[in-house]
Amino acid sequence: MVEEHAFWARHFPGLRARTQREAEALKERYRTERSELVASLDEERRKADRLRALLIAGAFPGITAGHPDLYKAFVWRFWNLVSPDGGRIGVVLPRAALAAKGGDAFRKELLASAEVLDLTMLVNNREWVFPNVHPQYTISLTAITRGMGAGECELRLSGPYANRKRFQAGVRRAPVTFRAREVEEWNDTASVPLLPSDKSVEVFAQLRKSPRLDLNDGVGWRARPVQGDLNATTGKPYMDLVSKECPEGFWPVYKGASFDLWNPDTGTYYAWADPKRVLPHLQKKRERAGNRGAFAEFSGDWREEQANLPCLRPRIAYRRVSRATDTRTVRTALVPSERVLTDKGAYFVWPRGEHEDEAYLLGVLSSLPLDWYARCFVETQVDFFIINPFPVPRRSGDSLLRERVIALAGRLASPDDRFAEWARRVGVVCGALTPIEKRNHVCELDAVVAHLYGLTEPQLVHIFETFHEGWDYEERLRATLRHFQTWRGAR
């Protein structure tokens, strides 16, 4: 893919550091003043289009899912070149080949036909593996043995190793092993998890006992993720990218950095939008979708009412762009009404459920145990095929643990009057918390969610110990364990 912003940033260093409004103004000037670069951009796009057409025409299943990528073609080429009776492949791959959309057809072929899939994961911390490659990228040293399909594929996992010393010590130990049928049960795309250590297998297995987030049993609550309201590129005609201050009557347009965990509004925005223009556009977009996508589960009458657009009331949003090596991976918040999201964010709609269910899901998604699980699968984005299979405990309405998650998450999500009505429906007080109160609520939430997952105290400690490289967790862990012991035995 040739991205225009990346092209101009390559020729004009410092462009990425500009605000969205400044960057748009500069790019417009560059287009006027540097016609030769405009021609170069057009040629790069033509070359990319030709290569994309070539890949799509090849015998590479899954190449059209997501953006076409060379590694998706190469893995099939490797597979087809070696003998099906004991042929071997040794190759360095991006972790995306083992987890991202578009690689599921290849992964399922491996699980069905390979004898051994041996993966050693390396994190390019301080560029110790490859210079000039992003230090947070994960790389897989991949060894594959083709078989005749007589036996079940054995998956061997080692790492991740963030430096040479750990790598040299780690490869002397036996890898963690799984059978193909176990991998296929984890998600729909046969994505391979990145487990922090050998001891993580037990924790991972316990978390996986809970139902999937997208469970549709026809009885309980049902939440479905939806991509943001406006595409950051094609939606620009509906945005004001020039004004430094929000024009009267306009709404902020959120990008990923516009919200964070328990912070519904960071004050950093992508643009502004006139609701008189954007609301009819969003309504028409929903009508065009018809019976496709998440809104298909709502009645036609509901979809036809513009007053039912999700942006007109508070909703759970999360950042789509994230990494397993960030300080947090699932960055979610209850964002205020009258906010428009770009496609760098996503939000949930509710074919079934009450405000209490919304607070409950927000609490689980914001917890450390869930984020630890997410980091096992996320590489660069929290895509739908990753978030839908997230394990989320389901408890009946009389569960004390569920009620406490609702109370804690509802209170944390209601810092000001913008959430007063939502808080009233959930049954919590609305208003700012002191820093001490907020930290205490967050620690208790982690403890209660850990009980909902059925985690033991050693398993909870393991989550803290392996959550993030080098983070200072001792004080928070002690506070969480105190709450964990208080809630021991609650249902």
Side-chain angles (χ1 to χ4, degrees), residues 114-132:
E115 285 187 7
V116 176
L117 174 57
D118 191 304
L119 309 175
T120 300
M121 301 295 194
L122 313 177
V123 179
N124 198 38
N125 183 43
R126 299 183 180 179
E127 301 183 3
W128 79 275
V129 187
F130 292 116
N132 303 316

Side-chain angles (χ1 to χ4, degrees), residues 159-205:
Y161 304 117
N163 56 56
R164 183 182 298 274
K165 183 178 180 180
R166 291 188 183 181
F167 166 71
Q168 291 174 334
V171 294
R172 294 188 179 95
R173 296 192 297 267
V176 178
T177 62
F178 300 95
R179 307 308 298 180
R181 61 180 176 276
E182 296 177 86
V183 181
E184 291 167 342
E185 290 175 354
W186 294 336
N187 49 62
D188 301 328
T189 55
S191 297
V192 177
L194 188 66
L195 299 177
S197 76
D198 298 355
K199 297 178 181 177
S200 302
V201 176
E202 179 185 324
V203 179
F204 179 85

Side-chain angles (χ1 to χ4, degrees), residues 229 310-311 313-317 333-335 339-341 347-348 358:
D229 306 302
C311 60
R313 54 192 52 81
R315 51 184 166 161
I316 299 176
L334 185 75
V335 299
R339 299 293 189 273
V340 178
L341 295 170
Y347 63 95
F348 285 96
E358 193 169 24

Side-chain angles (χ1 to χ4, degrees), residues 277-353:
R277 293 193 64 224
V278 79
L279 288 177
H281 168 69
L282 295 179
Q283 177 61 23
K284 288 180 181 177
K285 190 166 92 168
R286 187 168 64 174
E287 290 173 356
R288 284 197 301 270
N291 291 322
R292 301 188 310 275
F295 288 110
E297 296 188 34
F298 294 82
S299 69
D301 291 341
W302 185 92
R303 294 198 303 267
E304 291 171 4
E305 286 292 332
Q306 183 173 295
N308 291 327
L309 284 171
C311 60
L312 293 172
R313 54 192 52 81
R315 51 184 166 161
I316 299 176
Y318 65 89
R319 296 187 191 181
R320 292 184 61 232
V321 178
S322 189
R323 295 185 187 280
T325 48
D326 291 345
T327 54
R328 289 290 295 214
T329 296
V330 180
R331 294 182 181 267
T332 184
L334 185 75
V335 299
S337 61
E338 301 182 354
R339 299 293 189 273
V340 178
L341 295 170
T342 68
D343 56 330
K344 298 304 180 185
Y347 63 95
F348 285 96
V349 294
W350 293 77
R352 286 190 309 276

Side-chain angles (χ1 to χ4, degrees), residues 399-421:
S399 165
L400 295 177
L401 295 172
R402 171 187 154 84
E403 288 179 3
R404 191 56 183 161
V405 168
I406 293 170
L408 291 167
R411 186 68 186 88
L412 286 162
S414 308
D416 55 58
D417 289 342
R418 292 175 295 179
F419 305 96
E421 177 59 22

Side-chain angles (χ1 to χ4, degrees), residues 2 22 31 58 63 83 210 340 394:
V2 176
E22 293 171 339
R31 294 185 195 102
I63 195 75
S83 167
S210 292
V340 178
R394 301 278 180 139

